[in-house]
Amino acid sequence: MGDFAAHLNQWLDQDQPTLFELVAQRELGQTLRPAFQHFLKVLANQFPASYWPWAWRHSNEVFLAIDVLLQNYYLKHFGASFAENFYSLRRIPCKCQSQRAAAESPCCGPNLSPSGGVLCHYHVRLSLFFMTVAPYLKQKMEDLFETYDSGQSFPGGEAAQWQRLGVRVYLAAYPYFHFVWEGLFFAFQLAYLLKRTPYFSPLLYLAGIELKRVTELDNKLFEQSAKLSAFGHSANRSLLWRVAMLPLLGAGQVVGLAASGLPVLAFLLKFAEWWQSDEGNASRQAARSTVRLPIPPPP
């Protein structure tokens, strides 16, 4: 029996996250945009004479700018996105991508350790594009399809015939593109569940990135990277350079403190999502019915 259990355990990777963990971090990342847009909508309704209505109309672009800053901070300091770091996951380049990055960027050499650690600039930029720009473009395509499909902003009247033809082609082609997009994500998740691929999504496959659990060695690498930040490199700098870097370092500390409070905000967002769901309503109704039970008669 022991030999049989050992035979089964050799197929289990303790650093490999489960499909449920990966789906949970993906759902958390997808929750941030609607929550941010709802926040801007509330502010726009409360302060219509300010710049909040403009921010709400351009919520996708505003969220993209904030998301780029947030994800760039987490990628550089923790080697993962905000949602991945919330679930104690990290990004590790595959071997082929590691060799290519090391050839293109000399800084990647010492950072591409088997245990992961902090990502190099090449993989940070690559991950940042697929985490922020690619979903933004997909969202813009979906919004454009819904706008044309509902009859709004449809070119007519004096509009050129080729513009109307282009809109019709787009309306006919986008559902197939959306089907292929979602189908690829489902296929990669199914293949990951069956241990046919180490990549959870096609975007991770294009970036050449695998997701692993954070280990003690990774935490030490993160601490060493933090010590070798601008504060660490300023030891051999001149006094004028240190004074000039004070505003930038202060801004970095503010961003770091704000990023540290984001897990609490994420927990509140998930709680609010559960509170508004059918399960949350059923739980509250069950609690009310339990409180309103009549007092039993004395024995």
Side-chain angles (χ1 to χ4, degrees):
M1 181 63 69
D3 296 339
F4 179 72
H7 175 71
L8 291 179
N9 290 333
Q10 70 179 355
W11 298 100
L12 299 178
D13 189 357
Q14 299 298 330
D15 295 337
Q16 193 77 13
T18 63
L19 181 64
F20 301 102
E21 294 176 283
L22 297 178
V23 171
Q25 65 86 19
R26 182 187 178 187
E27 291 181 350
L28 175 59
Q30 293 176 348
T31 306
L32 297 179
R33 183 188 297 272
F36 179 76
Q37 291 177 340
H38 180 72
F39 174 73
L40 290 182
K41 182 179 180 180
V42 172
L43 292 179
N45 294 331
Q46 292 293 330
F47 307 99
S50 62
Y51 56 87
W52 292 114
W54 176 89
W56 179 48
R57 290 192 300 269
H58 301 83
S59 59
N60 288 327
E61 288 72 22
V62 176
F63 179 80
L64 174 64
I66 297 177
D67 195 31
V68 167
L69 296 177
L70 174 66
Q71 305 299 352
N72 183 65
Y73 174 84
Y74 272 87
L75 284 172
K76 287 186 175 180
H77 291 80
F78 302 103
S81 67
F82 163 71
E84 293 163 358
N85 180 259
F86 183 81
Y87 285 94
S88 299
L89 303 177
R90 71 191 192 281
R91 291 181 165 235
I92 294 183
C94 68
K95 296 180 179 180
C96 58
Q97 290 289 336
S98 302
Q99 296 173 358
R100 176 184 175 185
E104 295 182 1
S105 179
C107 71
C108 290
N111 288 338
L112 295 178
S113 59
S115 61
V118 180
L119 295 174
C120 67
H121 298 298
Y122 173 81
H123 291 102
V124 168
R125 293 192 298 266
L126 202 60
S127 299
L128 197 61
F129 174 81
F130 286 112
M131 282 195 305
T132 59
V133 180
Y136 166 77
L137 295 177
K138 177 63 170 58
Q139 184 65 38
K140 295 296 290 186
M141 294 176 63
E142 185 174 352
D143 294 343
L144 186 63
F145 174 80
E146 294 178 353
T147 300
Y148 286 145
D149 188 50
S150 61
Q152 304 176 8
S153 302
F154 193 88
E158 300 179 356
Q161 183 178 1
W162 65 270
Q163 292 180 347
R164 295 193 295 270
L165 179 61
V167 171
R168 293 191 180 94
V169 171
Y170 180 77
L171 290 176
Y174 178 77
Y176 295 98
F177 170 78
H178 181 73
F179 173 79
V180 173
W181 177 276
E182 296 296 335
L184 285 175
F185 275 91
F186 175 76
F188 269 85
Q189 292 177 14
L190 182 61
Y192 183 86
L193 180 63
L194 299 176
K195 299 186 181 301
R196 298 296 182 180
T197 178
Y199 305 106
F200 170 69
S201 71
L203 298 182
L204 291 174
Y205 170 76
L206 294 176
I209 297 292
E210 301 178 22
L211 292 178
K212 299 288 186 179
R213 290 194 180 99
V214 175
T215 61
E216 293 295 332
L217 181 58
D218 291 311
N219 292 327
K220 294 181 180 179
L221 292 176
F222 295 151
E223 294 177 359
Q224 293 177 2
S225 176
K227 293 179 180 179
L228 294 177
S229 60
F231 282 108
H233 287 95
S234 63
N236 299 326
R237 300 286 184 171
S238 63
L239 178 61
L240 181 62
W241 185 90
R242 298 182 187 179
V243 174
M245 288 296 294
L246 280 178
L248 182 61
L249 296 177
Q253 294 299 313
V254 172
V255 172
L257 292 176
S260 300
L262 283 177
V264 180
L265 178 61
F267 171 78
L268 295 177
L269 288 177
K270 298 299 290 184
F271 177 77
E273 182 182 2
W274 172 84
W275 185 267
Q276 297 296 332
S277 64
D278 296 337
E279 183 181 356
N281 293 330
S283 299
R284 293 196 299 272
Q285 292 178 1
R288 294 193 190 100
S289 62
T290 303
V291 173
R292 294 177 182 176
L293 290 177
I295 300 177

